[in-house]
Amino acid sequence: MDQTILGIESYCDETAAAVYQSKTGIQSNVIFSQSQHQRYGGTVPEIASRAHLEKIGFIVTQALKVANRTLDNIDVIAVTNKPGLPGSLLIGVCFAKAIAWAKQKKIIGINHLEGHAFSSFLEHVVPFPHLCLTVSGGHTSLYLIHDFGQYTLLGRTLDDAAGEAFDKVAKFLGLPYPGGPIIEKLAQAANFKDFFHYPRSMSNSYDFSFSGLKTAVLYDLVKKGMYDLNTKMVSDSIDRTVQQQVASSLLVCMSDIFKNKLKRAIKDYKNIKAVTFVGGVACNKFLQEQLHTLCIAHNLPFFVPSKEYCTDNAAMIAFVGNYKAARNEFADYTLDIFE
Ligand code: KG4
Ligand code: ZN
């Protein structure tokens, strides 16, 4: 059955809408990234929900326009309803419910993480079963994916997400938010060398932990006189070389952590046919290369979405909406949010 899905995403600080058609794929993918949070060094929930409210009508209209559609020729509305910032999720869900009711359209609530986990399918045909490493500012998880909508969580972070660790270390170095892309640039300038040998958590489970790593970097900077714990101020004497060496050591450490978990999973799940790497942190070319090399060594195809589908977007939400609609997994107008 050919159907057209309007996807709406507002779980954190990106207001996004996209149109996906079952037979022909992505028709539009429009994203508004809220830059208002940069000066606070992280997302401010109240500012995020207000910004969603201001932008959502425009973004949805744009997505329909680019796809050359109106609401009348949309079959289903798929909207992120969990997990996320409650105020942000509410804007997307209320907007989706309002237009669904006004135009008598079917509606489906989508898990943001399921969106990321299947985002590779927007551009690739990935064989099942496969391993999916989802790494973003809010989440770090390893899944065994059996089929569309069927997956087992093997492990997740017990504290900070990896993207959050990048963002926080950037803050300790006096760098702007979001930290991941800047850390990557600085690390490249230091040739991705491991200067400081930060600790790799040695846990035997598939779970991750990044708060110890973050604290190790912080205390190393304090020891070097680059950060004052009392005033929470970065020293004026911090220079580009220190920033590059810290960034490079952090990235190499992250890469080792991901490689170790993946190596174990590849060994434990011998029937897997591929590996995918998704979420905002998957934009990182060094991490991509490292994981790709590991997969080549194990004779496994490796898939990473394009940048616009790695970071938060509504195309991945519409894609999940498409297979859920095909299975009649619709919600009704009582659809609610879950943190
Ligand atoms: O998936 P995403 O857009 O939003 C969440 O669902 O969190 O991910 C945002 C995260 C931020 O923490 C950002 O620093 C990180 O992805 N990120 C990167 C890179 N680009 C974005 N981390 C490392 N290297 C990058 N190139
Ligand atoms: Zn995300």
Side-chain angles (χ1 to χ4, degrees):
M1 185 181 57
D2 196 17
Q3 54 188 356
T4 307
I5 319 289
L6 170 66
I8 298 177
E9 158 63 45
S10 69
Y11 108 111
C12 185
D13 58 7
E14 256 94 26
T15 319
V19 175
Y20 184 91
Q21 198 178 341
S22 320
K23 289 207 171 136
T24 43
I26 307 156
Q27 306 296 306
S28 66
N29 184 42
V30 180
I31 304 168
F32 171 72
S33 291
Q34 304 174 359
S35 56
Q36 296 93 316
H37 307 282
Q38 274 175 6
R39 80 176 93 146
Y40 302 101
T43 306
V44 182
E46 182 60 28
I47 294 178
S49 47
R50 282 167 191 256
H52 284 305
L53 190 56
E54 275 171 22
K55 285 284 184 263
I56 197 158
F58 175 72
I59 296 297
V60 169
T61 307
Q62 277 303 104
L64 290 167
K65 206 166 147 189
V66 173
N68 207 11
R69 303 281 203 290
T70 65
L71 275 179
D72 292 320
N73 35 51
I74 291 292
D75 299 303
V76 179
I77 297 169
V79 60
T80 304
N81 73 325
K82 66 185 169 192
L85 298 174
S88 290
L89 286 171
L90 267 177
I91 305 296
V93 169
C94 290
F95 190 87
K97 277 161 62 166
I99 54 177
W101 180 77
K103 292 283 180 182
Q104 291 298 296
K105 302 288 173 185
K106 290 182 170 153
I107 189 166
I108 307 182
I110 308 288
N111 182 327
H112 179 82
L113 291 169
E114 191 168 333
H116 276 303
F118 289 87
S119 57
S120 310
F121 286 88
L122 289 166
E123 299 159 295
H124 308 281
V125 178
V126 187
F128 295 113
H130 61 258
L131 292 168
C132 171
L133 186 59
T134 303
V135 191
S136 71
H139 309 275
T140 304
S141 312
L142 181 63
Y143 297 98
L144 177 60
I145 312 251
H146 312 282
D147 202 342
F148 292 114
Q150 286 172 31
Y151 46 94
T152 308
L153 177 68
L154 299 181
R156 64 186 170 86
T157 182
L158 301 174
D159 39 57
D160 293 347
E164 203 178 346
F166 280 123
D167 296 337
K168 283 184 180 159
V169 169
K171 204 170 174 181
F172 302 153
L173 293 170
L175 300 166
Y177 172 86
I182 306 155
I183 297 266
E184 183 178 11
K185 262 197 197 144
L186 291 168
Q188 188 175 18
N191 292 319
F192 304 112
K193 272 206 228 147
D194 190 4
F195 296 88
F196 304 129
H197 310 292
Y198 297 132
R200 281 81 171 137
S201 58
M202 299 303 285
S203 131
N204 273 332
S205 81
Y206 283 118
D207 288 331
F208 299 87
S209 168
F210 296 103
S211 73
L213 170 59
K214 182 192 70 187
T215 311
V217 177
L218 177 64
Y219 279 89
D220 192 42
L221 285 169
V222 171
K223 210 170 77 192
K224 289 182 166 75
M226 300 294 169
Y227 191 90
D228 187 327
L229 270 184
N230 294 320
T231 58
K232 295 201 165 82
M233 296 278 280
V234 184
S235 159
D236 290 339
S237 65
I238 196 158
D239 61 19
R240 218 43 174 178
T241 308
V242 172
Q243 289 175 329
Q244 288 167 354
Q245 293 181 347
V246 171
S248 190
S249 306
L250 175 70
L251 193 48
V252 175
C253 180
M254 285 281 189
S255 159
D256 285 352
I257 293 169
F258 294 136
K259 281 193 290 190
N260 284 340
K261 296 283 179 201
L262 267 185
K263 258 188 227 164
R264 270 203 53 205
I266 291 169
K267 205 169 143 220
D268 289 351
Y269 297 94
K270 296 206 169 37
N271 61 337
I272 59 143
K273 297 198 173 73
V275 173
T276 65
F277 182 35
V278 302
V281 176
C283 294
N284 191 294
K285 293 271 184 267
F286 176 76
L287 292 174
Q288 286 181 14
E289 277 166 26
Q290 294 289 307
L291 299 181
H292 193 183
T293 306
L294 175 77
C295 289
I296 290 171
H298 289 86
N299 222 355
L300 286 168
F302 178 68
F303 299 93
V304 185
S306 306
K307 192 167 183 272
E308 63 191 302
Y309 306 122
C310 274
T311 49
D312 289 341
N313 67 86
M316 65 186 192
I317 302 304
F319 179 84
V320 174
N322 181 46
Y323 66 69
K324 286 193 179 288
R327 295 171 184 166
N328 273 319
E329 292 175 21
F330 296 107
D332 59 26
Y333 298 139
T334 63
L335 177 70
D336 207 348
I337 61 152
F338 298 92
E339 289 172 51

